[in-house]
Amino acid sequence: MQEIPYDRDAAVAYARRWALGQNPVYYDFDKIGGDCTNFVSQCIYAGAQTMNYMSVFGWYYRSANDRTASWTGVEYLYKFLVNNRGVGPYARVVSQSEAEPGDIVQLGTENGDFYHTPIITAVTPTILVAAHSDDALDRPLSSYDYEIARFLHIEGVRRR
């Protein structure tokens, strides 16, 4: 398997292009649970250019009805990224101070229920994010109301 770098600039450029709009290639999940993780998966794909087509444990989108739970589900995306040993992007949990543009942050409650996934667009040193479901571009992370956050640093991409 070939290891390639994750293109953070491409992920952030995609986030900036589509944060306040909807790419017509992808279904808008806002009316059926939220679009945040779908949007972030699109951003990650822009930087990875590789999907993992394993039916249950992979990460891919062909259509609204032909996708993995990890493409659109907060917890499923987390599990895919931190456990992926195959094709596609992979990540590790890092501290806020280690987060970089192109990484993602997941917001949750004190009991560990994570419910929102934005992508980091800048660290200035304030962390700025882009998101869907409550569309935002360069919104300060500190302006969100959350109890805990986990930061996922995309380490790279594997291809066959």
Side-chain angles (χ1 to χ4, degrees):
M1 210 168 309
Q2 176 189 16
E3 298 245 354
I4 62 166
Y6 173 61
D7 188 342
R8 296 177 178 286
D9 292 337
V12 170
Y14 185 95
R16 292 188 180 288
R17 167 68 179 91
W18 294 106
L20 303 178
Q22 186 69 39
N23 183 336
V25 171
Y26 297 94
Y27 184 79
D28 182 352
F29 291 90
D30 265 336
K31 292 181 177 72
I32 56 170
D35 198 55
C36 66
T37 305
N38 173 44
F39 171 67
V40 164
S41 284
Q42 293 170 42
C43 297
I44 294 170
Y45 179 65
Q49 293 298 304
T50 303
M51 292 183 189
N52 180 314
Y53 290 98
M54 286 181 53
S55 62
V56 176
F57 299 108
W59 173 77
Y60 69 85
Y61 178 99
R62 290 185 182 117
S63 71
N65 297 318
D66 187 4
R67 62 182 163 81
T68 52
S70 60
W71 188 270
T72 54
V74 175
E75 194 64 28
Y76 295 106
L77 177 61
Y78 165 77
K79 287 179 181 174
F80 171 77
L81 288 172
V82 300
N83 294 309
N84 182 26
R85 303 291 178 258
V87 171
Y90 58 95
R92 66 183 168 91
V93 176
V94 297
S95 67
Q96 180 173 333
S97 64
E98 296 173 277
E100 300 178 42
D103 287 340
I104 65 171
V105 56
Q106 293 188 317
L107 308 180
T109 63
E110 223 171 71
N111 64 1
D113 291 329
F114 288 88
Y115 55 83
H116 190 49
T117 308
I119 184 167
I120 298 171
T121 54
V123 179
T124 65
T126 301
I127 291 184
L128 303 178
V129 299
H132 273 193
S133 295
D134 183 10
D135 292 1
L137 175 59
D138 291 334
R139 179 176 172 177
L141 181 60
S142 60
S143 71
Y144 283 90
D145 184 21
Y146 61 93
E147 294 169 349
I148 58 174
R150 65 181 171 205
F151 296 85
L152 297 174
H153 177 71
I154 313 267
E155 296 205 292
V157 181
R158 294 184 195 97
R159 290 188 179 159
R160 290 204 193 281

